[in-house]
Amino acid sequence: MGRRRGETLEAAILDAAWDELSERGYAHLTVESVARRAGTSKPVLYRRWADKRKLVEAAVVRRHAAQPVTPADTGSLRGDLIATLTELGETRGPFLTQLSLLLAGYFAETETGFTELRELFLAGRRSGADAIVRRAVERGEIDPDRLTPRIAALPFDLLRAEAMMTLRPVGREVVEEIVDTVFLPLVRPGGR
């Protein structure tokens, strides 16, 4: 096998970092253990990532990007939210639960939480939630005067909280309750 370089080497390192994180958690992961698992050296890792934190962030972002969820476009706010949140609840719920456990040491060390991690996932891009809300405003399904950033994020925040509290995928019935009884009454024109 020839010497790995560029994207191939980087992918091997990030996969090794994810595997180490999954098996050992952040507190017990070391740059040395990742280098050994990836079949490379610590200096190779340090040329790409300044420290363990940056390496772990890159590995988590890579893993997150491997399971993209495209926001649904059903033609209605309710349909878009239920379809998107159901998919997220089934695919991302377990991932977020796993991350909360694996990254406990990271969150303590960096004094951050999922809000900052979400910014890494988005990397300056708009979220799928933004697209759903924008389309709903254009269709007249949301009163923009009633929409604050916290309210716009609410269905997604409630989904994450449910996944972390139950440690299970979030089912459609929970998603429908979040959408129908919590979110829609807050944003519909006239509170309908």
Side-chain angles (χ1 to χ4, degrees), residues 141-184:
E141 294 178 277
I142 290 179
D143 179 350
D145 294 334
R146 301 182 79 194
L147 192 64
T148 66
R150 182 166 308 281
I151 290 174
L154 186 62
F156 297 89
D157 292 344
L158 290 173
L159 181 80
R160 279 189 288 277
E162 181 75 19
M164 287 187 210
M165 294 303 291
T166 63
L167 301 177
R168 292 190 314 263
V170 180
R172 184 178 174 100
E173 63 283 348
V174 173
V175 168
E176 288 177 350
E177 184 178 11
I178 289 169
V179 172
D180 293 336
T181 65
V182 179
F183 183 69
L184 290 178

Side-chain angles (χ1 to χ4, degrees), residues 13 32 64:
I13 293 167
E32 184 176 337
H64 179 269

